[in-house]
Each structure stands twice: as C-alpha cells, then as structure tokens.
Amino acid sequence: TASSSTRGPVPIGSERPPFRQLACSSTFERGPFPRPAVRRRRLRAISAPHCKASEGAEVRIAAMHQTAVPIVDVRGQRLIEGVEIKELVTHPDERGFFREMIRVTDPFFGEGSFGQLSHSLMHPGSGKGWHYHPDQVDWWYVIGNLKVALYDLREGSPTHKRLNEILMGDVYGAKVLKIPPMVAHGCRALDTTHLLYVTSSVYDPAQEGRIAHDDPVLGYDFVSNPPVK
C-alpha cells in the first residue's frame, strides 16, 4: 500500500473515519461514533466484571478502606487500652501520590468526633513534654519523623501506668494515631516535622493538663539521643 506521502491530497469530505479500540478488547471499530452512544458504551465497559482495568480500580478503592491495627509499640509492648493506629494506603505515580487519612466512617473516628484541625511545626530535636486531656480525643498524622511517648493515667484501666513508644512519619510508614482521654502524650522531632492533628473538641484551657517532661513517676527520657551501638 502506498504511503500517505505518495497518495496525493484527499478530497474534502472523503477523510476516512478514525479507528476506535473497544474497551477491554483488541477489536477495533471504524467511526463515526455518535457521542452519546460512546459515553454509554464506555460506562458499561468500565463496570464490566471481565474488564481488568475495572478490577484494578475496585481493588484500589477497597484498599482505601483497609485499616491495619498494630497491637504492639516499637519496644514490643502491647498498646495502651483505647490507643489505635490506622496504617494508611498510599497511591503513588509519577506526579506524586494520593493518601487518604481519616473518614467519618472509620471505626476509630465516627460521627460527631471532629472539633478542630491543627498544625504544629517542630524543628529537629525539639520536643513537647507530657500533657493530657480529661475528655478530648486526639488523632495525629506526621509529615517528617516523630518519636511519640504515651502513658496511661487512668486508674481502673487494664493498662494503667503502661508506657508506649511509637515512631511516626516518612521513615516509619504513614499512619494516624488515636490518643484517648487521660492518656498522657509527648513527642520529640527527629527532623523537621509537621504534626497535623484532629481533636474532638475546640481548644479549651480546662482540657489541657500538664506533667513535667522528666517526671520520675512516668520515667521517660525525652532529652537523650539514642545510644550508640
């Protein structure tokens, strides 16, 4: 067949309609194609159970609902009663990534949980000592890297006086940490770190309890660097 460069000009109105590949098929059809019919046909193809592209989308959407809940901290200690960790699913491509953090339908969140969203920037090595809330719940998300300490102050709790240490951020896997009321929490930034956190109520000084960072009863060291091994 002669190439298009040797066929000569094509008369106006006699152009051959383009080819179109059918969804999930190697079959081609020649147009013209009425626009409404194409739209309906594509919708049916996307929802077809045999379409591999459709199956991949369903898997990705299902993964966004998955919540893995670790039961131990970095020291191998079981988590304090009521503390929960949601491991997040990241969807990367050449443009960057998409990551879903919290849904109102998450079991560890739920209707009526939102009070305020806050953002804290921490410089490398800086720390925030023990504080706690009588009624407020926190949900933490970290950009950067953060070492978090938790201590159960609740008398009558099955994990009363238990200490947890949790590493969060870019190096340690994307996660959201739920901190229940009367669980003291503090942290130290391992590099430049952004802490984004949702609270179940708006800021109220009456909800802000403080404990010295070096309190001997809690017995946690926020200051020292990791030991050299």
Side-chain angles (χ1 to χ4, degrees):
T1 303
S3 66
S4 58
S5 61
T6 60
R7 286 186 311 192
V10 178
I12 296 175
S14 64
E15 294 90 343
R16 302 177 73 186
F19 284 102
R20 180 187 67 179
Q21 185 175 8
L22 297 180
C24 301
S25 170
S26 60
T27 304
F28 289 83
E29 286 186 346
R30 188 182 297 280
F33 309 109
R35 189 175 301 273
V38 173
R39 185 175 295 113
R40 288 193 297 271
R41 188 175 294 117
R42 285 177 180 170
L43 289 174
R44 286 197 298 272
I46 290 173
S47 61
H50 66 276
C51 177
K52 293 182 179 179
S54 174
E55 292 172 359
E58 291 172 0
V59 169
R60 290 193 299 271
I61 292 171
M64 293 166 65
H65 296 276
Q66 293 175 354
T67 302
V69 184
I71 59 173
V72 296
D73 67 1
V74 296
R75 298 178 172 186
Q77 182 79 262
R78 291 186 67 87
L79 293 181
I80 291 168
E81 181 76 15
V83 171
E84 297 184 57
I85 296 175
K86 176 184 178 181
E87 301 284 359
L88 304 182
V89 178
T90 302
H91 305 276
D93 61 24
E94 63 185 13
R95 301 166 298 175
F97 70 79
F98 171 79
R99 180 181 296 155
E100 189 175 287
M101 296 162 55
I102 296 176
R103 289 186 173 200
V104 71
T105 53
D106 284 338
F108 82 147
F109 195 68
E111 295 283 352
S113 296
F114 180 82
Q116 181 172 317
L117 172 64
S118 303
H119 179 188
S120 176
L121 169 64
M122 302 179 66
H123 296 299
S126 62
K128 297 189 177 184
W130 296 113
H131 55 287
Y132 61 91
H133 314 294
D135 305 298
Q136 176 179 290
V137 183
D138 287 16
W139 292 265
W140 287 16
Y141 172 78
V142 171
I143 302 171
N145 291 291
L146 191 69
K147 182 167 68 173
V148 181
L150 306 173
Y151 188 89
D152 192 352
L153 299 172
R154 301 167 296 181
E155 294 184 5
S157 166
T159 54
H160 182 221
K161 296 184 178 181
R162 179 172 297 174
L163 176 70
N164 282 156
E165 186 178 75
I166 298 169
L167 297 174
M168 301 181 65
D170 303 337
V171 173
Y172 306 107
K175 58 177 68 75
V176 174
L177 170 66
K178 177 184 178 180
I179 306 173
M182 293 304 295
V183 171
H185 43 283
C187 57
R188 183 180 182 187
L190 305 180
D191 55 24
T192 300
T193 298
H194 297 265
L195 173 61
L196 307 177
Y197 59 103
V198 172
T199 54
S200 60
S201 58
V202 298
Y203 175 75
D204 179 1
Q207 286 288 322
E208 299 294 324
R210 302 285 178 175
I211 302 173
H213 76 277
D214 56 354
D215 185 286
V217 175
L218 277 63
Y220 186 78
D221 185 0
F222 283 101
V223 179
S224 300
N225 290 319
V228 178
K229 297 182 180 180

